[in-house]
Amino acid sequence: MKYITEYRDKELVRILVDKIHAYRGPQVRFMEVCGGHTMAIQKFGIPSLLPDNVALVSGPGCPVCVTSLQFVDHAIALGRRDDFIITTYGDLIRVPGSSSSLEQEKSRGSDIRMVYSTLESLSIARDNPGKKVLFLGIGFETTAPASAAALVQARKENLDNFFVLSAHKIMPPAMAAIVNEDVKLNGYLAPGHVSTITGAGIYRDISGKFGLPVVVAGFEPSDILQSIHMLLEQLRTGNISVEIQYKRVVTPEGNLKAQKMMQDVFRLRDDWWRGLGILPLSGLGISDAYAQWDAERVFDIEVEPTQEPEGCICGEVLKGVSHPTECILFDSVCNPSNPVGTCMVSEEGACQAFYKYGTE
Amino acid sequence: MMEQGKHIRLGHGSGGKLTHDLVTGLFLKFFDNEILAKQGDSGLFLLDGVRRMAMSTDSYVVDPIFFPGGNIGSLAVSGTVNDLAVTGADPRYLTAAFILEEGFSIEKLEEIVREMAHIAEEAGVRIIAGDTKVVNKGKCDKVFITTAGVGFLEERLAHIAGGERVRPGDRILINGYSGDHGIAILGERESLTFTSPVLSDAACLNGLIRDITRNHDVHFMRDATRGGVATVLAELAALSKRPAAHKMGLSVDETAIPIREEVRGICEVFGYDPLYMANEGKVVAVVPGHQADDVLERMRSHPLGRDAAIIGTVVEEHPGKVVLQTEIGGKRLLDMLAGEQLPRIC
């Protein structure tokens, strides 16, 4: 496969692995922030190639994993109204809310549709003028521009039956919070796709304030291994900085057009993250200019206060404090078919990645 | 089972873990008998205490009903023929029941039935009974087909379905490219345009299976349908969890599993794992190590086995588990499909 196999070349991988094995220093732990990295790391069996003194821990960069149960409950409550069509990315469908999930609601008759892009939601709205079409906006700087673009388009068309319920979040506050919570880390593998939009500049504080190496990594095995080596080199030389390994996609300044659109459509607000609690200015609410498409403001939604499932340690897993296998629910009552916690639901969740691909 | 919810979800039909829960927790509980309890691809029984028989049934609800390389009729015949053949049986007779939606085109139905007749004739099976029901528009989706089949099973092959003879040192083979059917359906559904479309591999495997069982000891066979090659391998490894079974695991080489470039590429784009992609004409066979090369050659001399490959080995280590050597040389576990990759694939 052109442009992919090159990055999975066994010989290249072997050279990088040898370089990593040359590291003789004390035990280090690097956090891969992004769920896409978690998945790739497990899928290619990268942990089996690393020396004992280099460990990877999964971070909070799985959109579904950090989203509150309340958000799902909101969506379910609206879905139960006859005049609503709920549209969402596939990941969210199986997330358990406090007492149900969108998948179960669908089997009970709510009109819930999986979409690959916000443009599909818009066309569902155009095709169903008698219905209110809600898009569930989750994810970080990667998916937020798509929600923003949909809102801009809705305004352009005067589409008055399309709404967004936003749980969008931004990455840097969570990365800072994890360091502030004294989670033992020696560096970050920073998310490649987020950085495509934001640019690598957003991590300057992490390396500057906290003295932590940051490398923006791609998603192929050789990308990840090279990034690990770059982190080790920063530690060895003491030149702590933000480096971009994923240069074929990521620039220091990012996608300015997408950033501008996000600024117009969203406003920063305090937001709740599983495992980290409320982080100041870490969430993206919808701006006043787009208030009429903001489901939160337009519809009165009342849901019971939610409680995290008993025994579930997703919060600890997301911070990199606990490993999925340390959870008493893991593989006993919680598995990808019947997930209890969000980290088991998502393709990008650490628990599911480990359940599917983990070695002992 | 089914801690969550009291309703059937799409995942219950995926052939993965949820299906397994439903079968063991509900069907097996009420239809309790020792033949069903074996949970093979076919039910195996003795006729009048002498003649070994295999019986199997399957329903087909694939969407779309026409796809590159076949239609719902090809699946309805080959699926049931294969379920019989992988137990070592010689499939002979099928039945076919049709549920038709009011308004469905008779011309299309004819195309489906003609295909069924053609495939059955090629496979040497006869369709000897049937049923037709029509439901109101919207109460089913165009056409659903259920086939059932019976076949005769030679005494010397009766052990294959249970896999009792599988042991460390055995090699694992597959008769060709994995994931073609899944991608053919996906391509049709998503209107993907390919320079050369991936065709479904739907085919009756009884001829190829007859070839490899005639002069060789096949220890185990299963057709890799929903849940793909990965699920069959996980099921094979799970054999060692049965009482009195050999303690064994599987070591599988990811790069040895034949996967077409196009299939790999599309899976990459959609985020699917080709090892979990459905097939409708692939058998995974386990044979003694010293016979593996001969069986491979035998497979390759059959038109449905031209791209056959040896993909792994039964080992003593990590009992009950499938350890995959990844393409970059790493190691990871391979487990059954959890949840649903693509609904209504067959």
Side-chain angles (χ1 to χ4, degrees):
Chain A
M1 231 176 331
K2 196 76 184 130
Y3 310 122
I4 289 191
T5 30
E6 291 87 335
Y7 299 99
R8 297 180 186 174
D9 181 72
K10 240 182 178 165
E11 185 53 23
L12 178 62
V13 164
R14 196 190 55 76
I15 293 168
L16 291 166
V17 166
D18 283 351
K19 283 185 174 176
I20 293 170
H21 275 261
Y23 170 71
R24 293 277 175 268
Q27 169 79 42
V28 287
R29 276 160 54 95
F30 298 133
M31 176 174 277
E32 88 270 3
V33 177
C34 173
H37 282 147
T38 302
M39 209 57 193
I41 286 164
Q42 295 298 338
K43 183 174 168 200
F44 291 101
I46 287 177
S48 71
L49 297 172
L50 298 179
D52 291 343
N53 57 349
V54 178
L56 293 173
V57 286
S58 308
C62 154
V64 161
C65 303
V66 292
T67 301
S68 71
L69 298 184
Q70 207 154 17
F71 179 78
V72 178
D73 288 346
H74 275 165
I76 287 172
L78 289 174
R80 283 182 182 168
R81 301 189 192 173
D82 284 343
D83 55 342
F84 269 83
I85 299 173
I86 311 288
T87 61
T88 171
Y89 295 136
D91 262 27
L92 206 52
I93 292 241
R94 297 176 51 239
V95 177
S98 352
S99 60
S100 182
S101 69
L102 290 168
E103 187 186 41
Q104 288 175 48
E105 293 296 306
K106 185 170 185 258
S107 69
R108 276 180 214 156
S110 288
D111 193 346
I112 293 164
R113 305 184 193 181
M114 206 169 97
V115 294
Y116 283 108
S117 106
T118 53
L119 299 178
E120 284 178 61
S121 301
L122 286 174
S123 58
I124 292 172
R126 284 182 211 109
D127 295 345
N128 296 275
K131 298 267 188 177
K132 298 182 174 67
V133 175
L134 179 71
F135 178 74
L136 305 179
I138 63 160
F140 308 105
E141 291 94 330
T142 28
T143 52
S147 297
L151 287 168
V152 169
Q153 187 62 26
R155 182 152 88 168
K156 209 190 248 170
E157 292 178 31
N158 239 329
L159 204 56
D160 58 7
N161 66 329
F162 174 79
F163 305 92
V164 172
L165 187 63
S166 173
H168 285 297
K169 293 175 166 54
I170 58 171
M171 214 63 249
M175 288 168 70
I178 285 172
V179 187
N180 279 328
E181 285 216 11
D182 281 337
V183 177
K184 202 189 146 328
L185 285 185
N186 304 89
Y188 272 121
L189 280 176
H193 295 147
V194 163
S195 313
T196 310
I197 305 293
T198 62
I202 58 163
Y203 311 114
R204 231 167 269 137
D205 269 4
I206 304 280
S207 70
K209 266 195 212 156
F210 303 111
L212 272 188
V214 177
V215 173
V216 178
F219 294 84
E220 293 299 323
S222 60
D223 289 326
I224 293 167
L225 290 165
Q226 188 182 25
S227 300
I228 293 171
H229 180 244
M230 288 165 78
L231 287 170
L232 289 170
E233 279 299 292
Q234 285 198 30
L235 289 176
R236 190 180 63 83
T237 59
N239 292 327
I240 306 302
S241 64
V242 179
E243 286 184 282
I244 305 172
Q245 180 278 334
Y246 200 24
K247 282 201 175 118
R248 58 189 188 276
V249 179
V250 178
T251 60
E253 65 281 358
N255 180 337
L256 299 174
K257 201 172 162 193
Q259 290 170 26
K260 169 79 175 65
M261 198 186 281
M262 281 170 65
Q263 273 162 20
D264 291 345
V265 171
F266 294 115
R267 65 193 159 87
L268 282 175
R269 63 176 175 189
D270 299 350
D271 205 352
W272 182 91
W273 295 62
R274 177 161 296 102
L276 298 169
I278 291 174
L279 301 180
L281 302 181
S282 66
L284 295 172
I286 292 170
S287 69
D288 292 342
Y290 288 84
Q292 87 174 81
W293 293 276
D294 181 359
E296 239 170 85
R297 297 196 225 191
V298 176
F299 307 108
D300 246 348
I301 329 164
E302 266 185 46
V303 293
E304 304 277 303
T306 52
Q307 238 178 355
E308 294 287 309
E310 211 170 311
C312 173
I313 61 164
C314 275
E316 301 301 296
V317 170
L318 288 163
K319 277 194 292 193
V321 174
S322 296
H323 191 267
T325 51
E326 291 171 44
C327 181
I328 51 162
L329 306 181
F330 185 84
D331 201 14
S332 55
V333 296
C334 182
N335 60 53
S337 310
N338 278 314
V340 176
T342 51
C343 300
M344 188 61 93
V345 179
S346 173
E347 285 278 322
E348 300 190 330
C351 293
Q352 186 180 126
F354 198 80
Y355 187 96
K356 268 170 91 169
Y357 296 137
T359 31
E360 260 83 2
Chain B
M1 58 160 280
M2 294 190 288
E3 296 94 326
Q4 287 181 21
K6 298 187 173 78
H7 301 264
I8 288 294
R9 292 180 270 152
L10 282 171
H12 282 116
S14 69
K17 278 209 163 81
L18 279 181
T19 311
H20 181 80
D21 289 349
L22 191 65
V23 169
T24 50
L26 180 68
F27 296 123
L28 218 51
K29 190 167 105 189
F30 288 100
F31 299 156
D32 180 34
N33 64 64
E34 72 289 351
I35 299 172
L36 185 65
K38 294 219 165 90
Q39 290 193 64
D41 288 296
S42 301
L44 305 181
F45 57 97
L46 278 176
L47 198 64
D48 299 332
V50 280
R51 194 81 209 241
R52 283 191 185 273
M53 304 285 294
M55 186 169 178
S56 185
T57 184
D58 221 327
S59 296
Y60 299 85
V61 297
V62 64
D63 171 36
I65 52 174
F66 292 91
F67 46 83
N71 63 44
I72 188 170
S74 6
L75 298 189
V77 172
S78 64
T80 297
V81 164
N82 292 346
D83 279 344
L84 293 168
V86 292
T87 65
D90 178 21
R92 291 291 183 80
Y93 302 106
L94 298 190
T95 67
F98 294 82
I99 297 174
L100 305 166
E101 184 185 15
E102 179 189 16
F104 182 59
S105 146
I106 290 184
E107 199 183 322
K108 283 189 175 149
L109 182 60
E110 186 181 320
E111 202 177 324
I112 291 166
V113 173
R114 204 183 305 128
E115 168 82 358
M116 290 175 73
H118 170 67
I119 294 220
E121 194 187 336
E122 271 192 351
V125 297
R126 295 208 284 168
I127 298 171
I128 57 164
D131 181 44
T132 312
K133 296 282 187 316
V134 179
V135 296
N136 300 72
K137 194 155 188 57
K139 298 293 177 186
C140 89
D141 192 0
K142 301 181 195 75
V143 52
F144 295 157
I145 305 176
T146 298
T147 52
V150 291
F152 298 112
L153 177 59
E154 282 182 59
E155 183 66 36
R156 67 182 184 92
L157 303 176
H159 62 88
I160 291 177
E164 296 105 16
R165 296 192 189 165
V166 178
R167 62 208 54 202
D170 285 0
R171 306 299 306 273
I172 306 159
L173 290 87
I174 188 164
N175 64 312
Y177 289 107
S178 171
D180 290 1
H181 179 69
I183 293 301
I185 297 291
L186 182 71
E188 193 65 18
R189 263 188 222 166
E190 304 285 336
S191 313
L192 300 179
T193 44
F194 307 109
T195 39
S196 56
V198 176
L199 303 183
S200 166
D201 60 347
C204 291
L205 293 166
N206 52 332
L208 176 128
I209 287 173
R210 203 182 307 125
D211 278 3
I212 62 167
T213 51
R214 191 176 293 137
N215 296 314
H216 296 95
D217 303 322
V218 173
H219 286 170
F220 178 79
M221 278 188 290
R222 191 153 284 179
D223 52 339
T225 52
R226 292 173 303 182
V229 176
T231 299
V232 172
L233 292 171
E235 286 167 355
L236 172 60
L239 289 180
S240 93
K241 288 176 187 160
R242 295 174 316 185
H246 277 274
K247 288 285 158 261
M248 59 197 180
L250 307 185
S251 172
V252 174
D253 180 358
E254 185 170 30
T255 54
I257 302 172
I259 295 166
R260 279 179 215 282
E261 249 337 79
E262 303 91 305
V263 170
R264 212 183 277 280
I266 295 160
C267 281
E268 223 25 81
V269 170
F270 280 83
Y272 292 127
D273 189 335
L275 300 183
Y276 292 96
M277 270 286 155
N279 309 281
E280 286 294 339
K282 289 293 150 0
V283 58
V284 171
V286 179
V287 302
H290 67 277
Q291 294 184 18
D293 290 337
D294 287 351
V295 176
L296 181 66
E297 204 177 307
R298 176 64 57 168
M299 270 191 179
R300 284 184 173 166
S301 62
H302 191 280
L304 294 176
R306 252 180 247 129
D307 304 295
I310 298 175
I311 60 172
T313 308
V314 180
V315 294
E316 282 175 9
E317 296 82 37
H318 46 79
K321 294 195 164 125
V322 185
V323 172
L324 187 76
Q325 287 266 3
T326 68
E327 55 185 302
I328 62 161
K331 281 190 180 141
R332 67 158 158 102
L333 291 182
L334 198 62
D335 202 352
M336 268 185 220
L337 181 62
E340 182 79 27
Q341 193 153 270
L342 276 179
R344 288 183 65 187
I345 195 82
C346 60

